[in-house]
Coordinates of all heavy atoms in Angstrom, one line a residue:
Chain B
D58 N -7.1 -42.4 45.5 CA -7.6 -43.1 44.4 C -6.8 -42.8 43.1 O -6.6 -43.6 42.3 CB -9.1 -42.7 44.1 CG -9.9 -43.2 45.3 OD1 -9.6 -44.1 45.9 OD2 -11.0 -42.5 45.5
I59 N -6.3 -41.5 43.0 CA -5.6 -41.1 41.8 C -4.2 -42.0 41.7 O -3.9 -42.5 40.7 CB -5.2 -39.6 41.9 CG1 -6.4 -38.8 41.7 CG2 -4.2 -39.3 40.8 CD1 -6.3 -37.3 41.8
M60 N -3.6 -42.2 42.9 CA -2.4 -42.8 42.8 C -2.5 -44.4 42.7 O -1.5 -45.0 42.5 CB -1.5 -42.5 44.1 CG -1.2 -41.1 44.3 SD -0.6 -40.2 42.8 CE 1.0 -40.9 42.7
S61 N -3.7 -44.9 42.8 CA -3.8 -46.3 42.8 C -4.6 -46.9 41.6 O -4.7 -48.0 41.4 CB -4.5 -46.8 44.1 OG -5.8 -46.3 44.2
S62 N -5.2 -45.9 40.7 CA -6.0 -46.4 39.7 C -5.6 -45.8 38.4 O -5.4 -44.6 38.3 CB -7.5 -46.1 40.0 OG -8.2 -46.1 38.9
S63 N -5.7 -46.6 37.4 CA -5.5 -46.1 36.0 C -6.8 -46.5 35.1 O -6.7 -46.5 33.9 CB -4.3 -46.6 35.3 OG -4.3 -48.0 35.1
A64 N -7.9 -46.8 35.8 CA -9.2 -47.0 35.1 C -9.6 -45.9 34.3 O -9.3 -44.7 34.7 CB -10.3 -47.4 36.1
F65 N -10.3 -46.0 33.2 CA -10.6 -45.0 32.3 C -11.7 -44.0 33.0 O -11.6 -42.8 32.8 CB -11.1 -45.5 31.0 CG -11.2 -44.4 30.0 CD1 -10.0 -44.0 29.3 CD2 -12.4 -43.8 29.6 CE1 -10.1 -43.0 28.3 CE2 -12.5 -42.8 28.6 CZ -11.3 -42.4 28.0
L66 N -12.6 -44.6 33.8 CA -13.5 -43.7 34.5 C -13.1 -43.4 35.8 O -12.4 -44.2 36.4 CB -14.9 -44.4 34.5 CG -15.6 -44.6 33.1 CD1 -16.9 -45.5 33.2 CD2 -16.0 -43.2 32.6
P67 N -13.5 -42.2 36.4 CA -13.1 -41.9 37.7 C -13.7 -42.8 38.8 O -14.8 -43.2 38.6 CB -13.6 -40.4 37.9 CG -14.6 -40.3 36.9 CD -14.3 -41.2 35.7
T68 N -12.8 -43.2 39.8 CA -13.4 -43.9 40.8 C -13.9 -43.0 41.9 O -13.3 -42.1 42.3 CB -12.3 -44.9 41.4 OG1 -11.0 -44.2 41.4 CG2 -12.1 -46.2 40.7
A69 N -15.1 -43.3 42.4 CA -15.8 -42.6 43.6 C -15.7 -41.1 43.2 O -15.1 -40.2 44.0 CB -15.1 -42.8 44.9
P70 N -16.3 -40.6 42.0 CA -16.2 -39.2 41.7 C -17.0 -38.3 42.8 O -18.0 -38.7 43.3 CB -16.9 -39.1 40.4 CG -17.8 -40.4 40.3 CD -17.1 -41.4 41.1
S71 N -16.4 -37.2 43.0 CA -17.1 -36.1 43.9 C -16.5 -34.8 43.5 O -15.5 -34.7 42.9 CB -16.8 -36.4 45.4 OG -15.5 -36.0 45.7
F72 N -17.2 -33.8 44.0 CA -16.8 -32.4 43.7 C -16.0 -31.8 44.9 O -15.9 -30.6 45.0 CB -18.0 -31.5 43.3 CG -18.5 -31.8 41.9 CD1 -19.7 -32.6 41.8 CD2 -17.9 -31.3 40.9 CE1 -20.1 -32.8 40.5 CE2 -18.3 -31.6 39.6 CZ -19.4 -32.3 39.4
D73 N -15.5 -32.7 45.8 CA -14.8 -32.1 46.9 C -13.7 -31.2 46.7 O -13.5 -30.2 47.3 CB -14.3 -33.4 47.8 CG -15.3 -34.0 48.5 OD1 -16.5 -33.5 48.5 OD2 -15.1 -35.1 49.1
N74 N -12.9 -31.5 45.7 CA -11.7 -30.7 45.4 C -12.2 -29.2 44.9 O -11.6 -28.3 45.3 CB -10.9 -31.3 44.2 CG -10.3 -32.6 44.6 OD1 -9.8 -32.7 45.7 ND2 -10.3 -33.6 43.7
Y75 N -13.3 -29.2 44.1 CA -13.7 -27.9 43.7 C -14.3 -27.1 44.9 O -14.1 -25.9 45.0 CB -14.9 -28.1 42.7 CG -14.3 -28.7 41.3 CD1 -14.4 -30.0 41.1 CD2 -13.7 -27.8 40.4 CE1 -13.8 -30.5 39.8 CE2 -13.2 -28.3 39.2 CZ -13.3 -29.6 38.9 OH -12.7 -30.1 37.8
R76 N -14.9 -27.9 45.9 CA -15.5 -27.2 47.0 C -14.4 -26.6 47.8 O -14.4 -25.4 48.2 CB -16.3 -28.3 47.9 CG -17.5 -27.7 48.6 CD -18.4 -28.7 49.2 NE -19.1 -29.4 48.1 CZ -19.3 -30.7 48.0 NH1 -18.7 -31.6 49.0 NH2 -20.0 -31.2 47.0
T77 N -13.2 -27.3 47.9 CA -12.1 -26.8 48.7 C -11.7 -25.4 48.0 O -11.4 -24.4 48.7 CB -10.9 -27.7 48.6 OG1 -11.4 -29.0 49.0 CG2 -9.8 -27.3 49.5
I78 N -11.5 -25.5 46.6 CA -11.0 -24.3 46.0 C -12.0 -23.1 46.1 O -11.6 -22.0 46.4 CB -10.8 -24.6 44.5 CG1 -9.6 -25.5 44.3 CG2 -10.6 -23.2 43.7 CD1 -9.4 -26.0 43.0
F79 N -13.4 -23.3 46.1 CA -14.3 -22.2 46.1 C -14.5 -21.7 47.5 O -15.1 -20.7 47.7 CB -15.6 -22.6 45.5 CG -15.5 -22.5 44.0 CD1 -15.7 -23.7 43.2 CD2 -15.3 -21.4 43.3 CE1 -15.6 -23.6 41.8 CE2 -15.2 -21.3 42.0 CZ -15.3 -22.4 41.2
T80 N -14.1 -22.4 48.6 CA -14.3 -22.0 49.9 C -13.0 -21.4 50.5 O -13.0 -20.7 51.6 CB -14.8 -23.1 50.8 OG1 -13.9 -24.2 50.7 CG2 -16.2 -23.4 50.4
D81 N -11.8 -21.6 49.9 CA -10.5 -21.2 50.4 C -10.2 -19.9 49.7 O -9.9 -19.9 48.5 CB -9.5 -22.2 50.2 CG -8.2 -21.8 50.8 OD1 -8.0 -20.7 51.3 OD2 -7.3 -22.7 50.8
P82 N -10.1 -18.7 50.4 CA -9.8 -17.4 49.8 C -8.4 -17.5 49.1 O -8.1 -16.8 48.1 CB -9.7 -16.5 50.9 CG -10.4 -17.1 52.0 CD -10.4 -18.5 51.8
A83 N -7.4 -18.2 49.7 CA -6.1 -18.3 49.1 C -6.2 -18.8 47.6 O -5.4 -18.4 46.8 CB -5.2 -19.2 49.9
W84 N -7.2 -19.8 47.4 CA -7.3 -20.3 46.1 C -8.1 -19.3 45.2 O -7.6 -18.9 44.1 CB -8.1 -21.7 46.1 CG -7.3 -22.8 46.3 CD1 -7.2 -23.6 47.4 CD2 -6.3 -23.4 45.4 NE1 -6.3 -24.6 47.3 CE2 -5.7 -24.5 46.0 CE3 -5.9 -23.0 44.0 CZ2 -4.7 -25.3 45.4 CZ3 -4.9 -23.8 43.5 CH2 -4.4 -24.9 44.1
Y85 N -9.4 -18.9 45.7 CA -10.1 -18.2 44.7 C -9.6 -16.8 44.5 O -9.8 -16.2 43.4 CB -11.7 -18.3 45.0 CG -12.2 -17.6 46.3 CD1 -12.3 -16.3 46.4 CD2 -12.6 -18.4 47.4 CE1 -12.7 -15.7 47.5 CE2 -13.1 -17.9 48.5 CZ -13.1 -16.5 48.6 OH -13.6 -15.9 49.8
M86 N -9.0 -16.2 45.5 CA -8.4 -14.9 45.3 C -7.2 -14.9 44.1 O -7.0 -14.0 43.5 CB -7.8 -14.3 46.5 CG -8.9 -13.6 47.4 SD -10.2 -12.6 46.5 CE -9.1 -11.2 46.2
S87 N -6.6 -16.1 44.1 CA -5.5 -16.1 43.1 C -6.1 -16.1 41.7 O -5.5 -15.6 40.7 CB -4.6 -17.3 43.3 OG -5.4 -18.5 43.1
Y88 N -7.3 -16.6 41.5 CA -8.0 -16.5 40.2 C -8.3 -15.0 39.9 O -8.1 -14.5 38.8 CB -9.3 -17.2 40.2 CG -9.1 -18.7 39.9 CD1 -9.1 -19.6 40.9 CD2 -9.0 -19.1 38.6 CE1 -8.9 -21.0 40.6 CE2 -8.7 -20.4 38.3 CZ -8.7 -21.4 39.3 OH -8.5 -22.6 39.1
V89 N -8.8 -14.3 41.0 CA -9.1 -12.8 40.8 C -7.7 -12.2 40.4 O -7.8 -11.3 39.5 CB -9.7 -12.3 42.1 CG1 -9.9 -10.8 42.0 CG2 -11.0 -13.0 42.4
N90 N -6.6 -12.5 41.1 CA -5.4 -11.8 40.7 C -5.0 -12.0 39.3 O -4.6 -11.2 38.6 CB -4.2 -12.4 41.7 CG -4.4 -11.9 43.0 OD1 -5.0 -10.9 43.3 ND2 -3.9 -12.7 44.0

Side-chain angles (χ1 to χ4, degrees):
Chain B
D58 296 333
I59 292 176
M60 297 318 283
S61 61
S62 155
S63 65
F65 194 75
L66 291 171
T68 36
S71 78
F72 286 100
D73 285 353
N74 295 318
Y75 292 96
R76 212 165 289 135
T77 311
I78 289 174
F79 282 115
T80 50
D81 181 354
W84 274 111
Y85 65 74
M86 280 315 288
S87 62
Y88 278 99
V89 177
N90 290 333

